Amino acid sequence: MALKLKLKSFIGSKQESVQTPIEETVTDILTIGAAVTKNKVEIKPVNPHEEQEIIDGIEENYYDNESFDTSLHELQKLPEQLDADQITEDCLRLRNQLQAVSKRVSELILQNHLAYATELQQVMDLQRTLQAAGLVCQTGRKHLSHARKSFTVASLGLLSNYRKRQQLIGLLKSLRTIKTLQRTDLRLREMMEEEDYCGAIHLCQECQKAASTFKHYKCISELSSKLQDTLEMIEEQLDVALSKTCSHFDHQHYSKVQQAYRQLGKTQMAIDQLLMHFTSAIHNTAFTIILGYVELTSASSGAANFQKRQYDDLCKHITTETFTPCLVDLCKAMWEIMKSYFKTISWHALNDQDSCDGDSEIFHQRYVGTKLDHGRSRIWEDVQQRVKKFVLATDLSGFKFDEFIYILDIINRMIEVGEEFCASKSEGLQDTLKLQSLNYFKTHHQIRLDELRMFLENEAWEMCPVRSNFNILHLVEFRFMRKWANSRHMIPENELTTEDKCESLTTDQESKSYFSCYLEEGNPFDKQFEEEEKEDVFSALLETDGELLSDSDSDVAEDLKKDYIDEITGEAHSYKHKRRSSSRTILHKQTPLITNTTLNVLRVMGKYLQMISILKPIAFDVLSSLTQLFDYYLYTVFSFFAPDASSHNEQAVNPRLLNTLQRIRDNLLTNSSVMYVPNKKDPDASTDKVATAKMSSVVQLSDPKSLFGLAERVVATESLLFLAKQLDYLQPYLEELIPITKKTFLSQFYSQTVKMAVEVRVPVYGVVSGLSVSYESVLQQMSTVRWDVKEIMSQHNTYIDQLLKCFSDLRKKLEEVDKRVPLPKVVINLFWEQCVKNANRTFVEGFANAKKCSNGGRALMQLDFQQFLTKLDQIIELRPIPDKEFVEAYIKAYYLPESQLETWINDHKEYSSKQLLALVNSVDHLSRKSRQKLTNIIEETDKGRRL
Amino acid sequence: MSESYEFLFKFLVIGSAGAGKSCILHQFIENKFKQDSNHTIGVEFGSKVVNVGGKAVKLQIWDTAGQERFRSVTRSYYRGAAGALLVYDITSRETYNALTNWLTDARTLASPNIVIVLVGNKKDLEAEREVTFMEASRFAQENELMFLETSALTGENVEETFLKCARSILTKIESGELDPERMGSGIQYGDALRRMHRQEKLQPRTSRPDCAC
């Protein structure tokens, strides 16, 4: 601004106003080098010093800055009051300066021109090079861009490829996994075969998990469905494995299976399955066994296809030969199944306790526990059904006794197993047992009865020699009772065999339970064979028994000695039938009189008792059959040896015996034509009944020489009594066997039949005693005697001698018989009693026949009778003489006064009316009236008696 | 057991004690050897239906005690026997020597037509043999007996013996030499035949309608 003002003031001075712009222009040119050159011409050579001075005079400011505005600087330097001279001077100085500078510059330029030129040349060169370089650059760039372009694409591809590769590797891995998954199937199968169910399931489940992570693959869905299938297959396999448990429980195996189920979380289902398997195992096993046997036996005929038959139907095809082995096999198989079940339960009881964790687990276990528990009875029911159906399908009645016992034993054992298994009462099997036993027993009994009849019909009633102290326990059939008898001290100590002691040992062992004895090995149904062997051992021991039963001839002396010793010590060596008679040899009297048939009956009874002890349910039926044996024996003995006793000599037979005989006839005997009128028509009389026996023609009962077969009669009757005695001995045992409700039957049997046996003696021996003395001829002789003699006679009548002669003959004959058959004293006494009674009756009858009788006659009667009694004393041992009073009273009644006679007649009903009338008539001290009165009384009583 | 048979023969087994009579019978009936054999007491019994020449024959066999003291019991069974097995023990000359007595007994007590088979038992004990086959064979020939050696232990010839005896009886019946109807023949008709015979006998009566008795 200041400059403007200066300028304005300058312009105001008008002189210089035009010059300034020019100056400005010059200064402008000066700033440019080119302007310098233009001004060169004006330069005048000057001294260099001067020049130097000039140049040195140049204000410092000019060098300062290129952009320094020289003009402005000069202008500003101008004083306020412009002075043209000054200015001119300045101009000049400036001009000089400029000249100097220019000159210097030009000098410098000239000086440096060459350098400049070369330099320029270099620059040119440089420019050219640069151009070339630019070109190179350009092409390089072109190339580069090309290169870069192509390089990027490749690397991108590379990258993407790499990525792809990575993906593919991933895929490959997956695929490999999938492949493995697919392969797993195979491995699973292997594991199945190795029974590593647990591992298999684990693997399978892992596979499924793995498969689910690969869900996105299409193939996986297929695979996973396949895996599902496999898992199902594993379950099926597992199920099969589970079913194996039924037939054979293997601890490890079952643990594996259970673990597998637990892994599947299906323990409950497993138990349900298991129960089902057990059921089907029972059915299938039973069926297979039966089928096997049926096919075995029908191999020859084998047209029928048994495979499709029903079990029940199939059972009917079992033959009797194969029945027993089949039953044993069946029972064994059933046992195996039950054993497996039992083991299963124990397994659970043991293992579930160990691994108790979590509520659900406990719940499961409880479920399993109750299931298994309920299963027990179901299993047993099934087993029982199978066995029952099998047993019932065959008719066992034709089996041998021992075999049948064996079968019973097996079934009983089965029942016991059932009892132990589930505390079942096994009604089904019990019923079966009962049914089959009854059926069998009925047939068996029928055969036995027929056999007994045959024995009786062939029986010659010869005495069968046995040891003097023989009793049923000596028979093999009663061996089983020794223990019982032993417990009651019924066997003398010296007769105890080691076997008795053994037996008590073995029973102890047997009390052990089946499931503890046979859990690991063996089978309760194998046992019989061992027992059979044992029996053989026992039998060897029994050699001594055989000797007990039948003394060999050489023992006799020794035996006698033994008995003698016993006599001295007074020790009861044996019991009951050992009678100590003083008159004859001890041995002789003691020998029990038994027959072959008696032995047979005893043996059969023994077998029946064995049957009872095995078979309690039909105990009563067996027992009643047992009594039939005795009934039949009793009846037969009676009918053989006293056939007409009932009709002839009624008083002699106990009416109760007759009742018993009648009952036997009605219940046991078929309505054969042999005797008595049939009381009712029975459509099938053969069942349960037996024909009456006909006596063997060997037996002669009509020969007076053999005393009308007295020996046979004695053997028969006494053998019957021996039987009765043995039954008495058995009574307490039998009472233990039968139910209380049936006790009356037994006591009735004993009171009505066994006790009556002794009554058979009377009619049987009565026949002999009646026939062996001819009482008729005595009577005949007596009728010739005159009883109205006046004087007292001193000589008895001859009929007494004759009678006594008969008696002594009889005694001789008896002694002869006694040689053949030792006659028991009771028998001899009874026989003589009967004879004497007969004689007495004859006397009374004879006396009554006297039409007239005097006092002397009465005395003669007494004399005769006295003579008889005295002589009889020497012949017979019987004391006192029976019925002595019968004769004496009759004779002495004669002397009674009239008044007493009436009471006497009323008191003595044992005389017949005829005898009483004869008495009344012969008494001569009676009035006619009183005689009439007495006669009337007698006739009245007679009428009363007849009514 | 339904047993039907055409004939019933009563058989006897006799011979000295210990000859093996009961064992032979046991083997015959049970097909087993009786290990624990005691002396027979009195008489024991067994029966079996066998097939002889197409006919079912029931053998009713009485096995007698061999011991002397049972002789009186056993003798009573001789009567009415159709056949007898006379048994001795080939290892015991004593039992062989007793044969004559047994034979006399049998011939006198049983029916004269009785068919007797001589049986040499315990054939299995060849080493202890005391009686040769030839010797016994000659004895059998002299006494008109059939002869066999048996072993109750092995069962050899046991069944044959009974069958042989039965067959011989049957031949005699067929030839008329034996009359089953005669008392004490030891032969009875079985159910089937008995019914037939009864019908024959009833024939004349049946012409009349059912009698009203």
Side-chain angles (χ1 to χ4, degrees):
Chain A
M1 277 300 159
L3 195 60
K4 235 176 188 173
L5 281 168
K6 271 180 205 173
L7 234 52
K8 270 175 181 169
S9 56
F10 187 67
I11 292 164
S13 50
K14 293 180 193 177
Q15 277 178 317
E16 295 243 358
S17 65
V18 191
Q19 266 182 345
T20 33
I22 302 160
E23 252 186 329
E24 272 180 42
T25 319
V26 171
T27 48
D28 276 349
I29 295 163
L30 269 178
T31 57
I32 305 161
V36 174
T37 47
K38 265 190 226 167
N39 291 335
K40 248 174 189 180
V41 222
E42 294 176 35
I43 297 165
K44 308 167 216 161
V46 242
N47 186 342
H49 292 293
E50 278 175 28
E51 259 181 21
Q52 195 58 46
E53 280 170 28
I54 305 164
I55 290 169
D56 291 339
I58 300 172
E59 272 179 78
E60 216 48 46
N61 290 347
Y62 283 85
Y63 298 105
D64 263 3
N65 200 336
E66 239 175 274
S67 63
F68 180 68
D69 196 344
T70 51
S71 309
L72 192 57
H73 179 71
E74 280 313 313
L75 282 172
Q76 280 170 342
K77 240 171 45 178
L78 288 171
E80 292 292 314
Q81 288 298 324
L82 289 174
D83 182 7
D85 298 341
Q86 192 71 45
I87 297 168
T88 324
E89 206 184 296
D90 281 343
C91 273
L92 195 54
R93 195 201 26 114
L94 279 171
R95 220 159 265 163
N96 285 340
Q97 279 175 348
L98 184 61
Q99 238 167 346
V101 169
S102 299
K103 199 187 160 187
R104 207 33 125 50
V105 168
S106 103
E107 269 169 27
L108 277 170
I109 288 169
L110 284 174
Q111 207 180 339
N112 288 324
H113 184 71
L114 198 67
Y116 170 76
T118 50
E119 212 49 41
L120 196 65
Q121 189 61 40
Q122 275 176 356
V123 166
M124 290 303 280
D125 284 348
L126 193 66
Q127 196 176 9
R128 249 188 334 266
T129 325
L130 272 175
Q131 261 171 354
L135 211 69
V136 167
C137 241
Q138 216 166 15
T139 45
R141 223 170 247 171
K142 219 191 236 157
H143 282 294
L144 254 176
S145 79
H146 178 76
R148 187 198 278 160
K149 206 168 150 197
S150 41
F151 178 77
T152 315
V153 172
S155 68
L156 273 177
L158 207 65
L159 273 172
S160 73
N161 277 347
Y162 179 76
R163 222 182 72 201
K164 263 189 204 156
R165 200 188 113 200
Q166 286 307 96
Q167 279 175 337
L168 283 173
I169 287 173
L171 184 65
L172 189 65
K173 223 161 135 192
S174 310
L175 284 175
R176 282 220 178 98
T177 321
I178 292 167
K179 195 178 170 191
T180 328
L181 284 179
Q182 271 168 329
R183 285 239 183 91
T184 317
D185 209 39
L186 248 127
R187 171 70 193 134
L188 280 175
R189 263 170 235 271
E190 276 173 23
M191 284 170 109
M192 289 283 81
E193 270 163 44
E194 290 160 15
E195 296 184 337
D196 183 10
Y197 307 105
C198 205
I201 291 167
H202 189 73
L203 187 64
C204 199
Q205 281 174 334
E206 261 183 12
C207 284
Q208 273 188 316
K209 216 180 281 168
S212 70
T213 60
F214 293 114
K215 245 188 285 184
H216 44 281
Y217 293 107
K218 216 176 188 178
C219 66
I220 278 297
S221 70
E222 224 172 288
L223 182 73
S224 65
S225 75
K226 196 179 162 195
L227 273 174
Q228 193 56 41
D229 287 350
T230 313
L231 198 63
E232 273 162 29
M233 195 199 73
I234 291 174
E235 276 182 48
E236 270 168 42
Q237 286 277 328
L238 202 55
D239 203 39
V240 173
L242 190 67
S243 72
K244 276 186 200 157
T245 309
C246 300
S247 50
H248 179 72
F249 183 90
D250 180 59
H251 194 84
Q252 272 188 320
H253 176 81
Y254 189 71
S255 301
K256 265 195 246 170
V257 172
Q258 272 297 329
Q259 207 184 337
Y261 270 110
R262 188 165 300 148
Q263 203 156 20
L264 286 172
K266 287 179 174 173
T267 37
Q268 290 192 10
M269 200 201 79
I271 285 303
D272 294 339
Q273 278 302 107
L274 187 64
L275 283 172
M276 200 200 72
H277 281 311
F278 267 107
T279 310
S280 62
I282 290 165
H283 284 247
N284 293 341
T285 314
F287 185 84
T288 315
I289 289 171
I290 310 287
L291 183 69
Y293 275 95
V294 169
E295 279 178 344
L296 191 75
T297 47
S298 62
S300 46
S301 58
N305 185 10
F306 293 107
Q307 199 86 47
K308 287 178 184 146
R309 300 283 184 99
Q310 288 288 309
Y311 180 79
D312 305 40
D313 191 29
L314 202 62
C315 285
K316 291 192 181 106
H317 286 84
I318 286 286
T319 58
T320 45
E321 292 81 31
T322 49
F323 178 84
T324 316
C326 186
L327 178 67
V328 173
D329 278 2
L330 183 65
C331 287
K332 276 186 188 171
M334 293 296 117
W335 159 258
E336 285 299 333
I337 292 171
M338 282 158 73
K339 187 173 82 179
S340 298
Y341 194 80
F342 185 83
K343 281 184 174 175
T344 310
I345 291 177
S346 348
W347 187 92
H348 279 285
L350 198 76
N351 289 45
D352 290 354
Q353 269 178 358
D354 288 354
S355 59
C356 237
D357 48 342
D359 280 348
S360 67
E361 194 73 3
I362 290 169
F363 172 75
H364 277 310
Q365 278 161 19
R366 204 167 291 155
Y367 178 85
V368 167
T370 34
K371 263 288 182 192
L372 281 175
D373 229 36
H374 286 304
R376 270 180 203 257
S377 42
R378 258 187 54 198
I379 299 274
W380 173 242
E381 201 51 47
D382 279 340
V383 169
Q384 202 186 161
Q385 273 300 320
R386 294 295 105 182
V387 177
K388 179 182 168 179
K389 278 181 177 164
F390 173 72
V391 174
L392 280 182
T394 306
D395 180 19
L396 302 176
S397 59
F399 276 55
K400 293 224 171 71
F401 182 75
D402 294 337
E403 192 165 15
F404 186 71
I405 293 246
Y406 178 40
I407 290 165
L408 292 187
D409 191 36
I410 290 171
I411 299 172
N412 263 323
R413 215 170 284 175
M414 201 72 202
I415 290 173
E416 280 168 34
V417 167
E419 167 104 47
E420 200 186 321
F421 186 68
C422 62
S424 162
K425 288 275 166 287
S426 313
E427 278 92 358
L429 272 181
Q430 296 279 17
D431 286 352
T432 311
L433 261 189
K434 192 164 177 181
L435 211 68
Q436 280 290 22
S437 309
L438 267 180
N439 177 39
Y440 176 80
F441 190 76
K442 248 165 109 179
T443 320
H444 182 77
H445 181 57
Q446 196 58 44
I447 292 168
R448 292 287 86 80
L449 274 178
D450 278 337
E451 199 180 282
L452 177 57
R453 182 171 64 92
M454 195 198 63
F455 261 95
L456 287 167
E457 288 186 343
N458 281 286
E459 183 57 71
W461 305 104
E462 282 282 347
M463 186 184 89
C464 192
V466 287
R467 195 193 176 103
S468 53
N469 58 1
F470 170 74
N471 71 63
I472 44 171
L473 294 183
H474 294 140
L475 287 174
V476 185
E477 283 79 5
F478 284 91
R479 210 177 53 210
F480 73 96
M481 269 186 64
R482 288 188 138 244
K483 220 180 89 191
W484 171 81
N486 197 10
S487 69
R488 292 164 169 264
H489 307 290
M490 278 169 160
I491 307 177
E493 196 57 38
N494 57 355
E495 279 182 34
L496 281 175
T497 58
T498 43
E499 157 210 353
D500 294 325
K501 287 149 200 164
C502 289
E503 230 162 90
S504 52
L505 281 177
T506 47
T507 42
D508 284 349
Q509 282 167 352
E510 267 165 42
S511 60
K512 260 180 129 186
S513 74
Y514 289 104
F515 282 101
S516 57
C517 282
Y518 301 102
L519 202 54
E520 288 318 314
E521 53 182 348
N523 193 305
F525 301 98
D526 280 331
K527 220 176 89 188
Q528 179 65 20
F529 302 111
E530 295 164 26
E531 275 187 358
E532 257 177 11
E533 281 167 32
K534 219 189 269 173
E535 193 143 290
D536 282 343
V537 180
F538 280 157
S539 306
L541 283 169
L542 273 174
E543 206 66 48
T544 49
D545 262 16
E547 277 168 27
L548 280 174
L549 186 56
S550 56
D551 313 313
S552 58
D553 298 314
S554 55
D555 303 333
V556 173
E558 202 186 320
D559 212 56
L560 188 66
K561 203 162 58 190
K562 200 197 278 168
D563 283 339
Y564 183 62
I565 292 164
D566 285 350
E567 280 261 294
I568 291 169
T569 56
E571 186 185 292
H573 174 246
S574 185
Y575 55 97
K576 289 176 188 173
H577 58 265
K578 188 169 182 176
R579 267 175 256 106
R580 296 201 179 89
S581 121
S582 49
S583 61
R584 291 165 197 247
T585 59
I586 295 155
L587 187 74
H588 199 70
K589 279 281 131 185
Q590 278 169 349
T591 311
L593 288 168
I594 57 168
T595 64
N596 210 34
T597 310
T598 325
L599 276 177
N600 179 261
V601 171
L602 284 174
R603 284 184 201 278
V604 174
M605 283 179 172
K607 283 190 175 169
Y608 281 13
L609 289 181
Q610 277 177 34
M611 207 155 181
I612 291 179
S613 55
I614 287 170
L615 197 72
K616 295 271 191 297
I618 66 157
F620 177 70
D621 302 270
V622 179
L623 196 70
S624 88
S625 301
L626 187 141
T627 65
Q628 286 187 349
L629 295 171
F630 184 76
D631 284 352
Y632 191 62
Y633 196 88
L634 172 78
Y635 185 85
T636 306
V637 167
F638 186 86
S639 66
F640 279 4
F641 298 101
D644 17 61
S646 48
S647 53
H648 275 295
N649 198 359
E650 273 176 56
Q651 275 106 329
V653 188
N654 189 324
R656 288 180 62 206
L657 174 63
L658 290 178
N659 283 340
T660 304
L661 291 169
Q662 184 63 44
R663 177 185 60 74
I664 296 170
R665 197 154 48 228
D666 292 348
N667 296 338
L668 186 60
L669 301 173
T670 52
N671 308 319
S672 78
S673 54
V674 180
M675 46 172 72
Y676 304 105
V677 195
N679 47 0
K680 57 178 174 183
K681 278 272 181 210
D682 206 343
D684 52 343
S686 63
T687 51
D688 278 354
K689 296 200 168 188
V690 64
T692 39
K694 295 180 207 75
M695 190 154 48
S696 162
S697 53
V698 179
V699 185
Q700 290 298 325
L701 296 179
S702 50
D703 187 6
K705 277 182 203 148
S706 68
L707 274 180
F708 308 93
L710 182 65
E712 285 82 2
R713 290 170 193 272
V714 169
V715 170
T717 314
E718 298 312 305
S719 71
L720 172 70
L721 289 171
F722 181 80
L723 262 188
K725 207 171 292 167
Q726 300 306 311
L727 280 172
D728 273 334
Y729 172 72
L730 283 176
Q731 191 175 8
Y733 182 76
L734 297 181
E735 270 171 358
E736 281 171 27
L737 287 180
I738 58 162
I740 299 160
T741 47
K742 307 280 188 184
K743 285 261 158 71
T744 34
F745 170 82
L746 198 64
S747 56
Q748 254 179 24
F749 168 69
Y750 272 98
S751 64
Q752 293 181 359
T753 312
V754 179
K755 289 249 177 347
M756 279 304 113
V758 75
E759 298 294 333
V760 175
R761 273 176 176 161
V762 179
V764 170
Y765 302 143
V767 174
V768 183
S769 58
L771 290 171
S772 50
V773 177
S774 173
Y775 301 104
E776 282 301 315
S777 78
V778 174
L779 212 56
Q780 193 79 44
Q781 280 189 302
M782 282 176 85
S783 64
T784 60
V785 176
R786 290 184 58 92
W787 300 108
D788 50 351
V789 284
K790 292 283 180 274
E791 66 272 43
I792 305 294
M793 305 295 282
S794 58
Q795 181 61 41
H796 64 267
N797 284 303
T798 49
Y799 71 91
I800 292 294
D801 293 329
Q802 206 213 328
L803 187 62
L804 285 169
K805 168 112 189 8
C806 278
F807 271 44
S808 62
D809 284 352
L810 198 55
R811 185 188 158 154
K812 274 182 202 131
K813 280 183 185 168
L814 272 181
E815 273 162 12
E816 263 165 54
V817 171
D818 190 56
K819 274 176 206 152
R820 264 181 68 202
V821 174
L823 298 176
K825 195 159 173 61
V826 226
V827 174
I828 295 172
N829 288 347
L830 177 69
F831 181 75
W832 283 122
E833 186 186 319
Q834 287 176 333
C835 286
V836 173
K837 277 183 177 171
N838 282 337
N840 291 347
R841 219 151 267 133
T842 312
F843 288 143
V844 174
E845 191 65 20
F847 297 150
N849 281 341
K851 291 200 176 59
K852 281 181 182 170
C853 188
S854 59
N855 268 328
R858 234 39 189 181
L860 183 58
M861 283 177 188
Q862 275 193 304
L863 178 67
D864 284 351
F865 189 58
Q866 209 50 54
Q867 172 68 18
F868 174 69
L869 290 179
T870 322
K871 292 286 175 195
L872 193 63
D873 240 22
Q874 295 160 18
I875 300 170
I876 65 169
E877 286 162 10
L878 190 67
R879 299 291 180 278
I881 301 294
D883 281 4
K884 197 165 78 178
E885 294 74 25
F886 181 71
V887 183
E888 285 174 344
Y890 187 78
I891 300 170
K892 284 171 186 163
Y894 179 85
Y895 305 111
L896 290 174
E898 197 182 320
S899 54
Q900 285 177 29
L901 198 57
E902 193 184 328
T903 18
W904 187 89
I905 286 171
N906 280 326
D907 287 350
H908 291 77
K909 299 279 185 243
E910 65 267 35
Y911 302 103
S912 69
S913 313
K914 182 200 157 207
Q915 289 164 346
L916 291 174
L917 283 174
L919 177 72
V920 171
N921 287 324
S922 62
V923 178
D924 51 5
H925 56 261
L926 281 179
S927 66
R928 180 179 289 248
K929 196 183 159 199
S930 56
R931 184 167 296 158
Q932 191 55 49
K933 185 186 158 204
L934 286 172
T935 312
N936 284 341
I937 291 170
I938 294 162
E939 275 168 357
E940 279 306 308
T941 19
D942 191 44
K943 270 181 201 161
R945 211 182 279 173
R946 282 200 196 140
L947 279 172
Chain B
M1 213 187 302
S2 64
E3 289 185 319
S4 63
Y5 50 87
E6 291 179 44
F7 289 107
L8 186 146
F9 294 166
K10 183 175 168 182
F11 268 32
L12 267 180
V13 188
I14 52 173
S16 299
K21 297 178 288 302
S22 299
C23 287
I24 288 176
L25 181 62
H26 194 264
Q27 176 65 257
F28 176 59
I29 286 169
E30 307 281 337
N31 296 318
K32 265 189 271 179
F33 179 64
K34 199 176 170 188
Q35 285 287 353
D36 52 321
S37 201
N38 294 319
H39 280 305
T40 305
I41 301 147
V43 174
E44 276 173 24
F45 168 78
S47 77
K48 186 174 179 174
V49 178
V50 291
N51 190 318
V52 187
K55 287 195 169 69
V57 175
K58 181 171 182 173
L59 302 183
Q60 187 188 88
I61 306 151
W62 295 92
D63 169 33
T64 65
Q67 285 168 299
E68 181 58 36
R69 65 217 171 83
F70 289 109
R71 201 60 75 85
S72 63
V73 180
T74 55
R75 272 180 179 161
S76 58
Y77 286 85
Y78 281 44
R79 205 159 133 178
L85 268 62
L86 176 53
V87 186
Y88 71 96
D89 174 1
I90 65 155
T91 69
S92 156
R93 181 151 290 278
E94 203 186 329
T95 63
Y96 176 77
N97 292 340
L99 286 178
T100 326
N101 286 334
W102 286 108
L103 196 60
T104 322
D105 256 18
R107 287 259 154 89
T108 47
L109 293 164
S111 91
N113 288 319
I114 187 167
V115 174
I116 302 173
V117 184
L118 180 66
V119 181
N121 194 29
K122 309 196 188 175
K123 193 172 186 247
D124 47 291
L125 300 174
E126 193 57 48
E128 295 160 47
R129 184 189 276 276
E130 286 182 5
V131 183
T132 65
F133 184 84
M134 276 311 292
E135 188 182 358
S137 189
R138 208 174 303 124
F139 177 85
Q141 217 163 23
E142 282 162 13
N143 294 284
E144 296 177 310
L145 308 172
M146 289 182 282
F147 176 53
L148 277 169
E149 279 193 344
T150 64
S151 165
L153 181 74
T154 66
E156 188 184 350
N157 272 345
V158 170
E159 185 151 15
E160 286 78 351
T161 309
F162 286 94
L163 290 177
K164 198 168 183 171
C165 193
R167 204 176 296 121
S168 169
I169 295 167
L170 209 58
T171 320
K172 285 190 175 185
I173 294 171
E174 278 159 3
S175 71
E177 200 176 328
L178 272 173
D179 178 14
E181 306 257 17
R182 201 180 52 80
M183 270 291 282
S185 65
I187 302 159
Q188 284 171 26
Y189 289 116
D191 298 333
L193 277 178
R194 197 183 298 156
R195 219 169 291 129
M196 221 170 71
H197 278 258
R198 202 178 292 156
Q199 244 156 25
E200 273 168 31
K201 283 175 189 167
L202 287 174
Q203 217 72 73
R205 280 196 208 165
T206 44
S207 58
R208 218 170 53 183
D210 289 8
C211 47
C213 46

